[in-house]
Amino acid sequence: MMDYKLQILRVKSNFEEMESADETGIHVVDDIDDPEIREVDAQQRRIQAFSVGLEGAGDRKTIGTVIYKSIYTVILSKKFNLLIPFGPLAIFVQKKTNQNGWVFILGLLGIMPLAERLGYTTEQLAFYSGPTLGGLLNATFGNATELIISIYALRTGRIRVVQLSLLGSLLSNLLFVLGIAFFSGGIVRKEQVFNKEGNQHGEILYSDDQDQDQDEEGEAAPEISKWESVIWLGITAAAISILSEYLVDAIEGTSLAWGVPVAFISVILLPIGGNTAAVTTSVMFAMKDKLDVSLGVAIGSSTQISMFIIPFCVVVGWIFGRPVDLNFQLFETATLFMTVLFVAFMMQEGTSNYFKGLMLLFCYVLVAASYFVHEDPSS
């Protein structure tokens, strides 16, 4: 009987609320004489108010949760990012001690994870732009670290550093990145086969293959949103720009402090930071028996440097009033020519194994040793 009476009063209360609802949409029934029913209504109103309060608190926590999740996904989820604090430490050492050798090595360690994260955010942004535009984004920002370092070196008049660092990026991609991809893939499988004629569009192939992997695994492709990708892309690019300033300024001092030629630092050591993303990507796909993608990353990056970044630096040098030419001197040109021939012979059969990877890595060691003893007449 009590439940039946309560239902009648609730229907009456709802009818009255529809006719005379206030701004909050809550109508307090004052003409109910039964104290038990009034107590039930009061409890319902308190529960409703508490629920609204929880929803409001949840809205306030949403922004903080999104920021924390984004920071965790981009920065805290990778152990390799533990090297990021070396970047601010390099700036601190330069300000306090001015020891260029330590500044260079700390700055190089700090810029490596930033270059890798720059590639990661570009990949995330490519998920929202489709395979064609995604491949273009990967190709554009794949060598952004080398481009940023070169632009700052041009601003300060270090034209020879620009030439040698871009040459070093070519040698590193063709010998080191490709060699470590062959070696790591050869450890997993005795022999791997690749399409020796189908690696002209490496970055687009890499983007398509990523989409295929995500579809096969049944997972959502992007890990962060589109605007998070854009924001992190700007943050990492700005951090690389700041750190590259200290890194380039420390090259000559490091050469004097260590007794090492500037050519060795620019050709061998400096490209290590920019090629971190290419190394990790090539090794990952080589161990998945997708060597075509590894070849596309290494050779595509080399093609982009030779066909876009070097001419672009010539134009930027003209804007800055710095006469940048393509005269890389005889020794550097001969080194690049022999490297291209060696890599071309390695790819003639369309197969790879760990021994070919060792040969490419050994050739890179020989190139590094030659630049260590070579005296650059332009320095």
Short mmCIF file of all heavy atoms in Angstrom, two decimals, residues 178-223:
data_model
loop_
_atom_site.label_atom_id
_atom_site.label_comp_id
_atom_site.label_asym_id
_atom_site.label_seq_id
_atom_site.Cartn_x
_atom_site.Cartn_y
_atom_site.Cartn_z
N LEU A 178 71.94 0.72 -42.79
CA LEU A 178 71.67 -0.46 -43.61
C LEU A 178 72.42 -1.68 -43.09
O LEU A 178 71.88 -2.80 -43.09
CB LEU A 178 72.07 -0.16 -45.05
CG LEU A 178 71.47 -1.06 -46.13
CD1 LEU A 178 69.95 -1.02 -46.09
CD2 LEU A 178 71.98 -0.64 -47.50
N GLY A 179 73.64 -1.47 -42.63
CA GLY A 179 74.42 -2.59 -42.11
C GLY A 179 73.83 -3.19 -40.86
O GLY A 179 73.74 -4.43 -40.72
N ILE A 180 73.39 -2.35 -39.93
CA ILE A 180 72.80 -2.88 -38.70
C ILE A 180 71.44 -3.52 -38.97
O ILE A 180 71.03 -4.46 -38.27
CB ILE A 180 72.73 -1.77 -37.63
CG1 ILE A 180 72.60 -2.40 -36.24
CG2 ILE A 180 71.58 -0.83 -37.88
CD1 ILE A 180 72.79 -1.42 -35.12
N ALA A 181 70.73 -3.05 -40.00
CA ALA A 181 69.46 -3.69 -40.38
C ALA A 181 69.73 -5.08 -40.95
O ALA A 181 69.04 -6.06 -40.60
CB ALA A 181 68.72 -2.83 -41.40
N PHE A 182 70.71 -5.20 -41.85
CA PHE A 182 71.07 -6.51 -42.40
C PHE A 182 71.54 -7.46 -41.29
O PHE A 182 71.18 -8.64 -41.27
CB PHE A 182 72.18 -6.36 -43.43
CG PHE A 182 71.70 -5.92 -44.79
CD1 PHE A 182 70.36 -5.61 -45.02
CD2 PHE A 182 72.58 -5.78 -45.85
CE1 PHE A 182 69.92 -5.21 -46.26
CE2 PHE A 182 72.16 -5.37 -47.09
CZ PHE A 182 70.83 -5.08 -47.30
N PHE A 183 72.34 -6.94 -40.39
CA PHE A 183 72.90 -7.79 -39.33
C PHE A 183 71.81 -8.27 -38.37
O PHE A 183 71.75 -9.47 -38.04
CB PHE A 183 73.97 -7.01 -38.57
CG PHE A 183 74.61 -7.80 -37.45
CD1 PHE A 183 75.52 -8.80 -37.72
CD2 PHE A 183 74.28 -7.53 -36.13
CE1 PHE A 183 76.09 -9.54 -36.69
CE2 PHE A 183 74.84 -8.26 -35.10
CZ PHE A 183 75.75 -9.27 -35.38
N SER A 184 70.95 -7.36 -37.91
CA SER A 184 69.90 -7.75 -36.96
C SER A 184 68.87 -8.68 -37.61
O SER A 184 68.40 -9.64 -37.00
CB SER A 184 69.20 -6.51 -36.41
OG SER A 184 68.65 -5.73 -37.46
N GLY A 185 68.55 -8.43 -38.89
CA GLY A 185 67.64 -9.34 -39.59
C GLY A 185 68.27 -10.69 -39.84
O GLY A 185 67.58 -11.72 -39.79
N GLY A 186 69.58 -10.71 -40.09
CA GLY A 186 70.27 -11.97 -40.31
C GLY A 186 70.39 -12.82 -39.06
O GLY A 186 70.53 -14.04 -39.15
N ILE A 187 70.35 -12.20 -37.90
CA ILE A 187 70.38 -12.96 -36.65
C ILE A 187 69.06 -13.70 -36.45
O ILE A 187 69.02 -14.86 -36.01
CB ILE A 187 70.67 -12.02 -35.46
CG1 ILE A 187 72.11 -11.49 -35.55
CG2 ILE A 187 70.46 -12.74 -34.13
CD1 ILE A 187 72.45 -10.50 -34.47
N VAL A 188 67.95 -13.04 -36.79
CA VAL A 188 66.64 -13.67 -36.62
C VAL A 188 66.40 -14.75 -37.68
O VAL A 188 65.92 -15.84 -37.39
CB VAL A 188 65.53 -12.60 -36.68
CG1 VAL A 188 64.16 -13.24 -36.57
CG2 VAL A 188 65.73 -11.58 -35.56
N ARG A 189 66.77 -14.45 -38.94
CA ARG A 189 66.59 -15.40 -40.05
C ARG A 189 67.89 -15.53 -40.81
O ARG A 189 68.60 -14.55 -41.00
CB ARG A 189 65.46 -14.93 -40.98
CG ARG A 189 64.08 -14.99 -40.33
CD ARG A 189 63.03 -14.30 -41.17
NE ARG A 189 61.72 -14.39 -40.55
CZ ARG A 189 61.29 -13.57 -39.61
NH1 ARG A 189 62.08 -12.60 -39.16
NH2 ARG A 189 60.09 -13.72 -39.09
N LYS A 190 68.14 -16.75 -41.28
CA LYS A 190 69.42 -17.01 -41.94
C LYS A 190 69.61 -16.15 -43.17
O LYS A 190 70.69 -15.63 -43.44
CB LYS A 190 69.51 -18.49 -42.30
CG LYS A 190 70.85 -18.89 -42.89
CD LYS A 190 70.91 -20.39 -43.14
CE LYS A 190 72.27 -20.77 -43.72
NZ LYS A 190 72.35 -22.24 -43.98
N GLU A 191 68.56 -16.02 -43.96
CA GLU A 191 68.63 -15.20 -45.18
C GLU A 191 67.30 -14.50 -45.40
O GLU A 191 66.24 -15.10 -45.18
CB GLU A 191 68.98 -16.08 -46.39
CG GLU A 191 69.20 -15.28 -47.67
CD GLU A 191 69.64 -16.15 -48.84
OE1 GLU A 191 68.75 -16.78 -49.46
OE2 GLU A 191 70.84 -16.22 -49.11
N GLN A 192 67.36 -13.26 -45.81
CA GLN A 192 66.17 -12.48 -46.09
C GLN A 192 66.19 -12.01 -47.54
O GLN A 192 67.25 -11.75 -48.11
CB GLN A 192 66.08 -11.27 -45.16
CG GLN A 192 65.82 -11.63 -43.70
CD GLN A 192 65.76 -10.41 -42.81
OE1 GLN A 192 66.71 -9.64 -42.72
NE2 GLN A 192 64.64 -10.22 -42.13
N VAL A 193 65.01 -11.89 -48.11
CA VAL A 193 64.87 -11.48 -49.50
C VAL A 193 64.18 -10.12 -49.54
O VAL A 193 63.24 -9.86 -48.78
CB VAL A 193 64.06 -12.51 -50.31
CG1 VAL A 193 63.91 -12.07 -51.76
CG2 VAL A 193 64.72 -13.88 -50.22
N PHE A 194 64.64 -9.25 -50.41
CA PHE A 194 64.01 -7.94 -50.57
C PHE A 194 63.92 -7.63 -52.05
O PHE A 194 64.60 -8.22 -52.89
CB PHE A 194 64.80 -6.85 -49.83
CG PHE A 194 66.24 -6.72 -50.28
CD1 PHE A 194 66.59 -5.91 -51.34
CD2 PHE A 194 67.24 -7.42 -49.62
CE1 PHE A 194 67.91 -5.79 -51.76
CE2 PHE A 194 68.56 -7.32 -50.02
CZ PHE A 194 68.90 -6.50 -51.08
N ASN A 195 63.06 -6.68 -52.36
CA ASN A 195 62.86 -6.24 -53.74
C ASN A 195 63.91 -5.20 -54.06
O ASN A 195 63.83 -4.05 -53.59
CB ASN A 195 61.44 -5.67 -53.92
CG ASN A 195 61.15 -5.26 -55.35
OD1 ASN A 195 61.94 -5.52 -56.25
ND2 ASN A 195 60.02 -4.61 -55.54
N LYS A 196 64.89 -5.56 -54.83
CA LYS A 196 66.01 -4.65 -55.10
C LYS A 196 65.64 -3.50 -56.02
O LYS A 196 66.42 -2.57 -56.20
CB LYS A 196 67.18 -5.43 -55.71
CG LYS A 196 66.86 -6.12 -57.02
CD LYS A 196 68.05 -6.93 -57.50
CE LYS A 196 67.73 -7.64 -58.81
NZ LYS A 196 68.90 -8.44 -59.27
N GLU A 197 64.45 -3.55 -56.63
CA GLU A 197 64.02 -2.47 -57.54
C GLU A 197 62.84 -1.69 -57.00
O GLU A 197 62.37 -0.77 -57.65
CB GLU A 197 63.64 -3.06 -58.90
CG GLU A 197 64.80 -3.75 -59.60
CD GLU A 197 64.36 -4.37 -60.91
OE1 GLU A 197 63.14 -4.34 -61.17
OE2 GLU A 197 65.22 -4.88 -61.64
N GLY A 198 62.35 -2.04 -55.81
CA GLY A 198 61.11 -1.43 -55.33
C GLY A 198 61.26 -0.59 -54.10
O GLY A 198 60.34 -0.53 -53.30
N ASN A 199 62.41 0.09 -53.91
CA ASN A 199 62.64 0.87 -52.70
C ASN A 199 62.72 2.36 -52.97
O ASN A 199 63.32 3.11 -52.23
CB ASN A 199 63.94 0.41 -52.03
CG ASN A 199 63.84 -1.00 -51.49
OD1 ASN A 199 63.07 -1.27 -50.59
ND2 ASN A 199 64.60 -1.90 -52.07
N GLN A 200 62.12 2.79 -54.09
CA GLN A 200 62.18 4.23 -54.39
C GLN A 200 61.24 5.03 -53.52
O GLN A 200 61.43 6.23 -53.34
CB GLN A 200 61.82 4.46 -55.86
CG GLN A 200 62.89 3.96 -56.83
CD GLN A 200 62.72 2.49 -57.15
OE1 GLN A 200 61.80 1.85 -56.66
NE2 GLN A 200 63.60 1.96 -57.99
N HIS A 201 60.20 4.39 -53.00
CA HIS A 201 59.20 5.12 -52.21
C HIS A 201 59.19 4.56 -50.80
O HIS A 201 58.17 4.09 -50.30
CB HIS A 201 57.82 5.00 -52.85
CG HIS A 201 57.78 5.41 -54.29
ND1 HIS A 201 57.85 6.72 -54.68
CD2 HIS A 201 57.72 4.68 -55.43
CE1 HIS A 201 57.80 6.79 -56.01
NE2 HIS A 201 57.73 5.56 -56.49
N GLY A 202 60.33 4.64 -50.16
CA GLY A 202 60.50 3.98 -48.87
C GLY A 202 59.63 4.54 -47.78
O GLY A 202 59.09 3.79 -46.98
N GLU A 203 59.48 5.86 -47.71
CA GLU A 203 58.72 6.45 -46.62
C GLU A 203 57.23 6.13 -46.74
O GLU A 203 56.56 5.85 -45.75
CB GLU A 203 58.94 7.97 -46.60
CG GLU A 203 60.38 8.40 -46.36
CD GLU A 203 60.88 8.01 -44.99
OE1 GLU A 203 60.05 7.78 -44.11
OE2 GLU A 203 62.10 7.93 -44.81
N ILE A 204 56.70 6.14 -47.97
CA ILE A 204 55.30 5.79 -48.16
C ILE A 204 55.08 4.31 -47.87
O ILE A 204 54.09 3.92 -47.26
CB ILE A 204 54.84 6.15 -49.60
CG1 ILE A 204 54.95 7.67 -49.81
CG2 ILE A 204 53.44 5.67 -49.87
CD1 ILE A 204 54.59 8.12 -51.19
N LEU A 205 56.03 3.48 -48.29
CA LEU A 205 55.95 2.06 -47.98
C LEU A 205 55.97 1.83 -46.49
O LEU A 205 55.25 0.98 -45.96
CB LEU A 205 57.13 1.33 -48.65
CG LEU A 205 57.25 -0.17 -48.38
CD1 LEU A 205 56.04 -0.90 -48.93
CD2 LEU A 205 58.54 -0.72 -49.01
N TYR A 206 56.79 2.60 -45.78
CA TYR A 206 56.86 2.48 -44.32
C TYR A 206 55.53 2.84 -43.68
O TYR A 206 55.04 2.15 -42.79
CB TYR A 206 57.98 3.39 -43.81
CG TYR A 206 57.96 3.64 -42.33
CD1 TYR A 206 57.96 2.59 -41.42
CD2 TYR A 206 57.92 4.94 -41.84
CE1 TYR A 206 57.95 2.83 -40.07
CE2 TYR A 206 57.91 5.18 -40.50
CZ TYR A 206 57.93 4.12 -39.62
OH TYR A 206 57.91 4.36 -38.27
N SER A 207 54.90 3.91 -44.16
CA SER A 207 53.61 4.32 -43.61
C SER A 207 52.53 3.28 -43.91
O SER A 207 51.73 2.92 -43.04
CB SER A 207 53.20 5.67 -44.19
OG SER A 207 51.97 6.09 -43.69
N ASP A 208 52.50 2.75 -45.14
CA ASP A 208 51.52 1.72 -45.49
C ASP A 208 51.71 0.46 -44.66
O ASP A 208 50.75 -0.16 -44.21
CB ASP A 208 51.62 1.38 -46.98
CG ASP A 208 51.13 2.52 -47.84
OD1 ASP A 208 50.39 3.36 -47.32
OD2 ASP A 208 51.48 2.58 -49.03
N ASP A 209 52.96 0.09 -44.45
CA ASP A 209 53.23 -1.12 -43.70
C ASP A 209 52.84 -0.96 -42.24
O ASP A 209 52.39 -1.91 -41.60
CB ASP A 209 54.72 -1.46 -43.80
CG ASP A 209 54.99 -2.91 -43.45
OD1 ASP A 209 55.18 -3.19 -42.25
OD2 ASP A 209 55.01 -3.75 -44.36
N GLN A 210 53.00 0.24 -41.71
CA GLN A 210 52.55 0.49 -40.34
C GLN A 210 51.04 0.32 -40.22
O GLN A 210 50.55 -0.30 -39.28
CB GLN A 210 52.93 1.92 -39.93
CG GLN A 210 54.02 1.95 -38.90
CD GLN A 210 54.06 3.32 -38.25
OE1 GLN A 210 53.57 4.32 -38.76
NE2 GLN A 210 54.67 3.38 -37.11
N ASP A 211 50.30 0.86 -41.19
CA ASP A 211 48.84 0.70 -41.17
C ASP A 211 48.45 -0.77 -41.26
O ASP A 211 47.52 -1.22 -40.60
CB ASP A 211 48.21 1.49 -42.34
CG ASP A 211 48.40 2.98 -42.16
OD1 ASP A 211 48.61 3.41 -41.01
OD2 ASP A 211 48.36 3.71 -43.17
N GLN A 212 49.18 -1.53 -42.10
CA GLN A 212 48.88 -2.94 -42.23
C GLN A 212 49.15 -3.69 -40.93
O GLN A 212 48.38 -4.56 -40.53
CB GLN A 212 49.72 -3.53 -43.36
CG GLN A 212 49.45 -5.01 -43.62
CD GLN A 212 50.30 -5.55 -44.75
OE1 GLN A 212 51.06 -4.82 -45.37
NE2 GLN A 212 50.19 -6.84 -45.00
N ASP A 213 50.24 -3.35 -40.26
CA ASP A 213 50.55 -3.98 -38.98
C ASP A 213 49.45 -3.72 -37.96
O ASP A 213 49.04 -4.62 -37.22
CB ASP A 213 51.88 -3.46 -38.44
CG ASP A 213 53.05 -4.13 -39.13
OD1 ASP A 213 52.81 -5.12 -39.85
OD2 ASP A 213 54.18 -3.67 -38.96
N GLN A 214 48.97 -2.48 -37.92
CA GLN A 214 47.94 -2.15 -36.95
C GLN A 214 46.63 -2.89 -37.26
O GLN A 214 45.93 -3.32 -36.36
CB GLN A 214 47.69 -0.63 -36.93
CG GLN A 214 48.90 0.17 -36.49
CD GLN A 214 49.25 -0.06 -35.04
OE1 GLN A 214 48.44 -0.57 -34.29
NE2 GLN A 214 50.46 0.30 -34.65
N ASP A 215 46.32 -3.04 -38.55
CA ASP A 215 45.10 -3.75 -38.92
C ASP A 215 45.20 -5.23 -38.57
O ASP A 215 44.24 -5.85 -38.13
CB ASP A 215 44.83 -3.60 -40.42
CG ASP A 215 44.47 -2.18 -40.79
OD1 ASP A 215 44.03 -1.43 -39.87
OD2 ASP A 215 44.63 -1.79 -41.96
N GLU A 216 46.41 -5.81 -38.77
CA GLU A 216 46.58 -7.22 -38.46
C GLU A 216 46.49 -7.47 -36.96
O GLU A 216 45.98 -8.49 -36.50
CB GLU A 216 47.94 -7.70 -38.98
CG GLU A 216 48.00 -7.75 -40.52
CD GLU A 216 49.38 -8.12 -40.99
OE1 GLU A 216 50.28 -8.25 -40.13
OE2 GLU A 216 49.56 -8.30 -42.21
N GLU A 217 47.01 -6.55 -36.16
CA GLU A 217 46.99 -6.73 -34.72
C GLU A 217 45.64 -6.34 -34.12
O GLU A 217 45.37 -6.61 -32.95
CB GLU A 217 48.10 -5.89 -34.08
CG GLU A 217 49.49 -6.36 -34.48
CD GLU A 217 50.57 -5.44 -33.94
OE1 GLU A 217 50.20 -4.49 -33.22
OE2 GLU A 217 51.75 -5.66 -34.23
N GLY A 218 44.80 -5.66 -34.89
CA GLY A 218 43.49 -5.28 -34.39
C GLY A 218 43.54 -4.18 -33.35
O GLY A 218 42.66 -4.09 -32.51
N GLU A 219 44.53 -3.32 -33.40
CA GLU A 219 44.67 -2.26 -32.43
C GLU A 219 44.39 -0.92 -33.09
O GLU A 219 44.52 -0.76 -34.30
CB GLU A 219 46.08 -2.26 -31.83
CG GLU A 219 46.42 -3.54 -31.08
CD GLU A 219 47.85 -3.51 -30.57
OE1 GLU A 219 48.54 -2.52 -30.85
OE2 GLU A 219 48.26 -4.47 -29.91
N ALA A 220 44.02 0.07 -32.26
CA ALA A 220 43.86 1.43 -32.76
C ALA A 220 45.22 1.96 -33.14
O ALA A 220 46.16 1.91 -32.36
CB ALA A 220 43.21 2.31 -31.71
N ALA A 221 45.35 2.47 -34.37
CA ALA A 221 46.66 2.87 -34.88
C ALA A 221 47.28 4.01 -34.08
O ALA A 221 48.39 3.88 -33.60
CB ALA A 221 46.55 3.23 -36.35
N PRO A 222 46.59 5.16 -33.91
CA PRO A 222 47.25 6.26 -33.20
C PRO A 222 47.24 6.07 -31.69
O PRO A 222 46.27 5.58 -31.12
CB PRO A 222 46.42 7.48 -33.62
CG PRO A 222 45.07 6.94 -33.92
CD PRO A 222 45.26 5.55 -34.43
N GLU A 223 48.32 6.47 -31.06
CA GLU A 223 48.40 6.42 -29.60
C GLU A 223 48.08 7.77 -28.95
O GLU A 223 47.77 7.82 -27.77
CB GLU A 223 49.80 5.97 -29.17
CG GLU A 223 50.13 4.55 -29.63
CD GLU A 223 51.51 4.13 -29.20
OE1 GLU A 223 52.17 4.91 -28.47
OE2 GLU A 223 51.95 3.04 -29.59
#
